[in-house]
Amino acid sequence: MSPDPAPVPGVDRPNLTALDVVRSIVLVIAVGTLALWGFATWPLPWNIVLGIGAPVIVILIWALFLSPRPVLRLHPFLRAAVELLIYVGVTIAWWLMDQPFIGIAFAVVAVGTGVVSGRRRIA
């Protein structure tokens, strides 16, 4: 077997970069954080609703606007604003769970990867 497989005709695969992996990890952490926030900080009937509902809403927003093949294409600045709103929500969730340093660290990593990715997409 050769280390470099031959390209398959008619198949266009995007190159996967380290930035794509970091962005995926940020999204998984965001969804997990919102689930943790919903289940851990609210009383019994609301913890189930918010623990399941908040991550589902973020996944739907990501699929509609931010995925590699979004359902609705937005202007790059609107796309960045939607992504930033998700990151702000997750950062606020960490602050509400009395973990401000984790919230700040998440915000720095998430916004940093978003800025680099956005600049790559525009350029």
Side-chain angles (χ1 to χ4, degrees):
M1 253 186 146
S2 66
D4 189 24
V8 178
V11 176
D12 184 26
R13 293 187 181 142
N15 293 332
L16 188 63
T17 64
L19 182 63
D20 296 330
V21 173
V22 172
R23 285 182 54 104
S24 298
I25 292 170
V26 166
L27 178 66
V28 169
I29 290 173
V31 170
T33 295
L34 290 175
L36 177 67
W37 169 77
F39 287 124
T41 59
W42 294 90
L44 184 60
W46 290 108
N47 70 346
I48 296 171
V49 171
L50 291 173
I52 295 171
V56 167
I57 289 172
V58 167
I59 290 170
L60 287 175
I61 289 172
W62 179 83
L64 285 174
F65 303 115
L66 303 174
S67 70
R69 288 193 274 172
V71 175
L72 303 171
R73 295 208 181 267
L74 293 178
H75 189 274
F77 293 113
L78 287 176
R79 182 179 165 116
V82 169
E83 191 172 1
L84 188 62
L85 285 175
I86 291 172
Y87 297 158
V88 166
V90 173
T91 302
I92 289 172
W94 279 114
W95 279 69
L96 291 174
M97 291 188 288
D98 293 329
Q99 300 294 327
F101 294 115
I102 296 174
I104 291 171
F106 174 81
V108 168
V109 172
V111 171
T113 58
V115 167
V116 172
S117 175
R119 288 190 49 107
R120 276 190 175 177
R121 196 176 307 118
I122 291 174

